[in-house]
Amino acid sequence: MTAGSGVLLVLLSLSGALRAHEDLTARETCKAGFSEEGYTALISPDILQGERLLKVEFSSCLGSQGMQYETNSLDFKVGADGTVYATRELRIPSEQVAFTVTARDRRTAEQWDAVVRLLVAQTRSSHPGHKRGKKKDVTLDPSQPPRDTLLPWPPHQRSGGLRRQKRDWVIPPINVPENSRGPFPQQLVRIRSDKDNDIPIRYSITGVGADQPPMEVFSIDSMSGRMYVTRPMDREERASYHLRAHAVDMNGNKVENPIDLYIYVIDMNDNRPEFLNQVYNGSVDEGSKPGTYVMTVTANDADDSTTANGMVRYRIVTQTPQSPSQNMFTINSETGDIVTVAAGLDREKVQQYTVIVQATDMEGNLNYGLSNTATAIITVTDVNDNPPEFTTSTFAGEVPENRVETVVANLTVMDRDQPHSANWNAVYRIISGDPSGHFSVRTDPVTNEGMVTVVKAADYELNRAFMLTVMVSNQAALASGIQMSFQSTAGVTISVTDINEAPYFPSNHKLIRLEEGVPAGTALTTFSAMDPDRFMQQAVRYSKLSDPANWLHINASNGQITTAAVLDRESLYIRNNVYEATFLAADNGIPPASGTGTLQIYLIDINDNAPELLPKEAQICEKPGLNAINITAADADVDPNVGPYVFELPFVPATVRKNWTITRLNGDYAQLSLRILYLEAGMYDVPITVTDSGNPPLSNTSIIKVKVCPCDENGDCTTVGAVAAAGLGTGAIVAILICIVLLLTMVLLFVVWMKRREKERHTKQLLIDPEDDVRDNILKYDEEGGGEEDQDYDLSQLQQPEALEHVLSKAPGVRRVDERPVGAEPQYPARPVVPHPGDIGDFINEGLRAADHDPTAPPYDSLLVFDYEGSGSTAGSVSSLGSSSSGDQDYDYLNDWGPRFKKLADMYGGGEED
């Protein structure tokens, strides 16, 4: 700074006073966040620990509960109410301190940020050695500028000696009321530098609201430095502006350093409180005590919540219905919590209340504040304060015996609680009169009635009636202090009616044991049934229902069972030594009833089956020592009437024991082998006697067919040997081979004949031979006709049709020989069974006419393509030649045409006929 600089004077004067404003009705939806994007406060350079600096405001749609504040600075913290304070004693060395405050919702993990700037307010002292903390008044000279002028730049020292550099002053914020009516532009302040006494100065401002959106909210006179606001401000749109003032000379050179200007918009009460919802729904249990919480309504005011403009208070305007009291509820004026204030809530009388709630700002002042209303619908929820009660004290029902899953009685109850809820749904319980559990009471889900149902069949002969005691309750327990009613218990009388029951066999299945082979007529047992109808005089008759082998007989009167045939344990009807038969017992009641019983007879085995030799056939080598035949026995009996077996060769004929021998292996097996050194190949019947170990033992002589054959070194029969052993001679073998060859030859000839016949069938002409074709034909003689000039004919007639539509739409005419025309076949007349002689001619004519118009009947009339040699022929069409032979025309000139036309000259030239 130069020595000639003048003394700086600092005067700030706000122009005009705040004016009254009209009420605005701007509405906004709830949006959580800080009330400002940034907060600014003036502080002293020295700060004490715990000193409160400013307060940040945060609006949450769900209330302030669950919000947590944090900062990114260790020197400053934010309390739960939004107050910013110092964590320790500080001295601020710079002009300002900035840090970020974060609000975090612990329930949703959302967070919001705002910037806090602390501006250090500094003043000059009267001398350099002043004590810190003692402020001195600034002495003003007569040349001090007027009070509406702001000199933000410090004065410049005019002496040329050494000086201490002073920092720029920090300007206090400028407050501007919102919604000002003007006139605009409206002057806020004048900014000037003391250098404007020496040189012309140009002033300008930059920042949001000046040269940044929103543009030109503020303007400045570049020559005088007067700063204006150009339109009404809206604090709810933007609450503060940060501008920078610049001073340059006429050449644009900087004269002073830029200075910060902070402009705050003063809030006016121009916003009504807005409820988050127009209708709130809440509930409270009936019978609740006074002071029971019901619900919370919330209204937000867009105005400054730190002033009365944004402080909302609640009150209840009306309550509908006003029963049992007109003041059943009250509301906390600050929090909006609705609670009960009177007793007597009864859902059975009033199920729902409608409460109109009013929210008013200006701390609830109805004269100056703005108001809004919302509707709170409070539903009185049901509690189980009414026990179910039977409509009558006794019920009656009737059930036939042996019947189950039958509803015998319906129990009706009354419950005044909310239908189809746990407080209304009935639960029935039999508390006495049914020790055996014959009945249960089920609840009808629609009517809530109790259905007495038979779950276990009742027996008339044992119980003719039941006296039940049934208690009813709800699914939910009764509310505290509510006692069960004596009408919650009722008696149920159920009568059992007698019906004709079927006889039954006490022992079913009945098992008896006896030896097989007992003779017919033997009494086995008495299989009798019992009739459960003791109070009915009825007779029981017996009959067979199932006797697979027809071995048994039953007495129809007393049920005695005797054998009708010999019982054989080895029969196919026996399973695991047991024979089963089923018998029927029927009474003569009305209607008749019957029951079945099964008799099982366990047959004890006796030795009544001789053993059988196995195998029946075998083969052996013609020389001993190479192999032997293992033999055993099969016995239909069981132990001990089976093995061990004894195998023996009979003495007759003597050749058996001479040629063969038996060697015992164990109790069930033996070996048959040759006794002699060589036996001629062939088939031999060898008798063997087998004896079992029964008591008494049984024997059986069985024949085993043994094939003796030559064997190879491995002991196996050779092929030739096997054939020879089978008893076929060489002649027989040759005859068999010849027969096989003849059979194969006949099969081969038949196949060749079939192939040739198939080939002939394919090569045969489609219709008939040309020689048999009696139609007129054009024959080719090697003459070439009209040539290029012969072109007056339609070639399309010679083409095969490509589509069915073309064929069907084509005029009747010629077609190709090898093509079956496609189209509807005409109906031929039916020949009468016994035609009249006069009708024969008509029938023939009708058939001829149908055949003439049948395009599908062979032979097919058509044009055949022979030769086509292009166009250009001058010859006329041969179609113009007449076929008349009347003789009116002279054909004698044909004789002059040469030998080639001699045939025509003879035919038409007047030659003599043979």
Side-chain angles (χ1 to χ4, degrees):
M1 294 183 185
T2 61
S5 299
V7 178
L8 276 179
L9 300 178
V10 180
L11 292 175
L12 176 61
S13 173
L14 293 177
S15 63
L18 297 176
R19 301 177 180 180
H21 304 279
E22 296 180 352
D23 293 343
L24 301 177
T25 58
R27 303 166 65 93
E28 64 180 17
T29 58
C30 175
K31 182 176 181 182
F34 285 98
S35 60
E36 307 291 342
E37 296 181 358
Y39 297 86
T40 305
L42 283 173
I43 62 173
S44 63
D46 298 315
I47 303 175
L48 300 178
Q49 181 178 359
E51 180 179 350
R52 297 184 178 182
L53 305 177
L54 77 161
K55 185 177 182 180
V56 296
E57 295 292 336
F58 184 84
S59 176
S60 174
C61 298
L62 302 177
S64 59
Q65 296 181 355
M67 299 305 301
Q68 180 179 357
Y69 298 98
E70 300 174 354
T71 69
N72 62 351
S73 174
L74 298 177
D75 297 330
F76 303 95
K77 295 296 181 185
V78 182
D81 60 348
T83 301
V84 180
Y85 62 90
T87 59
R88 60 188 179 90
E89 186 176 351
L90 297 172
R91 177 172 180 79
I92 308 301
S94 59
E95 297 177 358
Q96 67 175 7
V97 175
F99 55 89
T100 302
V101 176
T102 301
R104 179 176 288 105
D105 192 336
R106 288 175 291 186
R107 292 167 295 186
T108 63
E110 293 184 274
Q111 65 180 28
W112 299 263
D113 296 330
V115 178
V116 175
R117 289 184 177 87
L118 302 179
L119 306 179
V120 180
Q122 298 180 355
T123 60
R124 292 193 56 182
S125 299
S126 58
H127 56 82
H130 73 281
K131 294 183 180 180
R132 183 176 58 185
K134 291 184 179 181
K135 299 179 181 179
K136 300 297 181 178
D137 294 337
V138 178
T139 303
L140 303 179
D141 57 17
S143 62
Q144 186 174 7
R147 295 183 60 85
D148 63 345
T149 302
L150 177 64
L151 288 90
W153 290 280
H156 302 276
Q157 299 288 342
R158 295 187 181 272
S159 62
L162 295 176
R163 65 189 185 279
R164 186 178 64 175
Q165 177 69 35
K166 293 294 183 179
R167 291 178 292 178
D168 294 341
W169 285 7
V170 177
I171 308 305
I174 303 171
N175 294 324
V176 180
E178 67 171 333
N179 303 324
S180 174
R181 294 185 179 181
F184 296 99
Q186 185 179 30
Q187 183 176 338
L188 296 180
V189 71
R190 182 183 179 190
I191 301 173
R192 63 179 294 268
S193 171
D194 61 346
K195 287 186 179 182
D196 62 357
N197 296 326
D198 300 331
I199 59 175
I201 302 295
R202 296 180 64 90
Y203 301 95
S204 64
I205 56 175
T206 59
V208 175
D211 60 346
Q212 298 178 20
M215 308 285 286
E216 299 178 354
V217 177
F218 303 96
S219 64
I220 189 171
D221 189 318
S222 61
M223 299 305 296
S224 65
R226 287 184 174 86
M227 183 175 170
Y228 301 92
V229 59
T230 62
R231 61 191 184 197
M233 309 294 290
D234 188 356
R235 191 201 67 84
E236 288 71 40
E237 181 180 346
R238 190 175 185 88
S240 64
Y241 295 86
H242 177 201
L243 303 178
R244 304 201 78 183
H246 306 269
V248 297
D249 58 16
M250 292 302 178
N251 296 324
N253 298 319
K254 182 173 68 173
V255 176
E256 301 284 0
N257 291 327
I259 194 70
D260 291 320
L261 298 177
Y262 290 93
I263 302 173
Y264 292 97
V265 182
I266 300 175
D267 183 49
M268 305 298 292
N269 189 20
D270 58 348
N271 291 279
R272 293 181 182 274
E274 294 290 339
F275 284 95
L276 301 183
N277 302 291
Q278 281 302 311
V279 178
Y280 290 83
N281 291 287
S283 61
V284 61
D285 290 339
E286 62 175 331
S288 297
K289 297 179 180 180
T292 302
Y293 172 81
V294 179
M295 61 194 303
T296 299
V297 297
T298 304
N300 292 327
D301 197 314
D303 293 324
D304 190 355
S305 60
T306 61
T307 67
N309 298 335
M311 294 181 180
V312 180
R313 297 295 182 264
Y314 304 91
R315 74 184 187 96
I316 293 178
V317 180
T318 60
Q319 167 197 306
T320 304
Q322 299 180 357
S323 173
S325 170
Q326 62 181 358
N327 295 319
M328 295 298 297
F329 306 96
T330 186
I331 187 170
N332 187 306
S333 62
E334 294 186 0
T335 63
D337 294 340
I338 299 177
V339 297
T340 59
V341 72
L345 290 173
D346 190 350
R347 189 204 65 85
E348 286 72 38
K349 295 180 180 179
V350 179
Q351 299 183 3
Q352 183 175 281
Y353 290 89
T354 301
V355 177
I356 304 300
V357 180
Q358 184 182 60
T360 307
D361 58 16
M362 297 300 290
E363 297 184 285
N365 191 320
L366 298 177
N367 295 326
Y368 303 102
L370 303 177
S371 301
N372 215 336
T373 60
T375 302
I377 298 177
I378 302 174
T379 301
V380 181
T381 56
D382 184 49
V383 298
N384 195 12
D385 58 347
N386 294 284
E389 298 177 349
F390 284 104
T391 57
T392 182
S393 60
T394 59
F395 296 88
E398 185 178 81
V399 61
E401 64 175 332
N402 302 324
R403 190 78 56 84
V404 294
E405 296 302 325
T406 301
V407 177
V408 296
N410 288 332
L411 312 181
T412 56
V413 296
M414 180 183 64
D415 195 322
R416 292 186 296 274
D417 290 320
Q418 184 175 357
H420 304 289
S421 66
N423 301 327
W424 180 81
N425 294 335
V427 177
Y428 299 88
R429 182 166 57 93
I430 299 175
I431 58 177
S432 65
D434 186 23
S436 300
H438 290 279
F439 305 95
S440 70
V441 184
R442 301 168 183 173
T443 303
D444 189 315
V446 178
T447 64
N448 212 29
E449 294 180 354
M451 301 180 294
V452 182
T453 307
V454 182
V455 295
K456 181 180 178 182
D459 191 350
Y460 175 83
E461 285 71 29
L462 299 178
N463 295 292
R464 299 188 181 185
F466 293 88
M467 302 294 296
L468 308 179
T469 302
V470 181
M471 175 181 288
V472 63
S473 59
N474 293 123
Q475 289 181 350
L478 289 174
S480 177
I482 305 299
Q483 302 295 328
M484 289 292 295
S485 171
F486 71 93
Q487 295 180 350
S488 297
T489 304
V492 182
T493 303
I494 300 175
S495 301
V496 181
T497 58
D498 191 18
I499 62 173
N500 183 27
E501 300 177 80
Y504 68 94
F505 291 88
S507 54
N508 193 16
H509 303 9
K510 184 175 182 180
L511 177 66
I512 61 174
R513 301 171 63 92
L514 70 154
E515 288 186 350
E516 64 173 329
V518 295
T522 303
L524 301 181
T525 185
T526 299
F527 197 26
S528 60
M530 297 182 62
D531 192 342
D533 298 315
R534 294 178 297 173
F535 302 101
M536 299 181 182
Q537 300 299 325
Q538 299 179 148
V540 178
R541 304 287 295 177
Y542 301 93
S543 61
K544 283 195 306 180
L545 190 62
S546 172
D547 183 11
N550 202 21
W551 286 346
L552 304 176
H553 172 75
I554 187 169
N555 189 294
S557 300
N558 58 16
Q560 185 180 38
I561 297 176
T562 57
T563 59
V566 178
L567 278 62
D568 186 6
R569 191 199 66 84
E570 291 76 30
S571 171
L572 298 176
Y573 302 104
I574 301 297
R575 296 291 182 273
N576 298 323
N577 301 328
V578 175
Y579 179 75
E580 281 192 0
T582 305
F583 299 93
L584 183 71
D587 60 20
N588 58 351
I590 300 175
S594 61
T596 60
T598 300
L599 178 66
Q600 294 180 328
I601 304 175
Y602 185 90
L603 296 178
I604 301 173
D605 183 47
I606 62 174
N607 193 18
D608 58 346
N609 292 279
E612 292 287 337
L613 182 67
L614 294 177
K616 298 298 182 181
E617 295 181 355
Q619 66 179 18
I620 193 172
C621 294
E622 58 187 2
K623 295 182 179 180
L626 294 179
N627 56 7
I629 301 172
N630 292 327
I631 58 175
T632 185
D635 198 325
D637 295 322
V638 295
D639 191 70
N641 299 319
V642 287
Y645 301 104
V646 176
F647 301 92
E648 296 177 320
L649 295 173
F651 292 94
V652 178
T655 56
V656 174
R657 285 181 171 265
K658 175 182 176 182
N659 297 334
W660 305 92
T661 183
I662 292 178
T663 305
R664 182 182 179 87
L665 297 179
N666 52 39
D668 295 331
Y669 290 91
Q671 277 190 346
L672 175 65
S673 58
L674 289 174
R675 178 186 293 274
I676 59 180
L677 297 180
Y678 173 79
L679 184 62
E680 183 180 358
M683 295 295 298
Y684 295 88
D685 293 337
V686 180
I688 298 177
T689 302
V690 185
T691 306
D692 60 20
S693 299
N695 186 18
L698 295 180
S699 299
N700 181 33
T701 300
S702 302
I703 301 297
I704 180 174
K705 291 184 177 298
V706 180
K707 181 191 300 182
V708 179
C709 59
C711 297
D712 54 16
E713 62 274 6
N714 297 324
D716 299 325
C717 283
T718 61
T719 304
V720 177
V723 174
L728 296 178
T730 304
I733 295 174
V734 172
I736 292 173
L737 293 177
I738 291 174
C739 290
I740 293 174
V741 171
L742 290 177
L743 181 60
L744 293 176
T745 303
M746 292 175 63
V747 171
L748 182 60
L749 291 175
F750 180 76
V751 171
V752 172
W753 178 76
M754 290 296 294
K755 290 290 185 179
R756 184 167 183 178
R757 182 179 179 184
E758 184 72 17
K759 184 176 180 181
E760 290 178 353
R761 187 173 64 85
H762 282 293
T763 57
K764 188 176 181 180
Q765 292 185 0
L766 182 62
L767 297 174
I768 57 176
D769 267 346
E771 297 176 359
D772 299 329
D773 192 357
V774 297
R775 297 175 298 170
D776 294 337
N777 293 280
I778 298 177
L779 304 179
K780 181 178 178 181
Y781 291 98
D782 295 332
E783 284 94 2
E784 297 184 359
E788 293 79 2
E789 299 299 326
D790 191 2
Q791 57 182 356
D792 296 332
Y793 54 88
D794 185 10
L795 292 179
S796 63
Q797 298 292 333
L798 307 179
Q799 305 300 321
Q800 182 178 4
E802 298 180 355
L804 180 62
E805 292 78 5
H806 175 71
V807 174
L808 295 177
S809 62
K810 187 175 179 182
V814 295
R815 307 196 183 271
R816 291 184 51 173
V817 171
D818 56 346
E819 171 194 352
R820 178 181 176 89
V822 180
E825 298 183 4
Q827 298 295 326
Y828 287 84
R831 182 177 180 182
V833 179
V834 183
H836 190 274
D839 297 335
I840 295 299
D842 296 338
F843 175 79
I844 294 176
N845 292 332
E846 291 177 5
L848 179 61
R849 185 163 44 253
D852 290 339
H853 293 85
D854 184 4
T856 64
Y860 309 129
D861 295 333
S862 64
L863 289 178
L864 301 181
V865 179
F866 291 97
D867 288 298
Y868 174 60
E869 299 184 357
S871 61
S873 176
T874 59
S877 174
V878 295
S879 300
S880 61
L881 297 178
S883 59
S884 175
S885 59
S886 61
D888 296 336
Q889 186 174 353
D890 186 11
Y891 295 99
D892 292 337
Y893 62 90
L894 294 176
N895 295 320
D896 302 329
W897 285 8
R900 294 192 176 188
F901 294 88
K902 186 177 184 303
K903 184 65 175 178
L904 288 175
D906 293 339
M907 295 174 61
Y908 295 95
E912 295 180 0
E913 295 179 1
D914 296 338

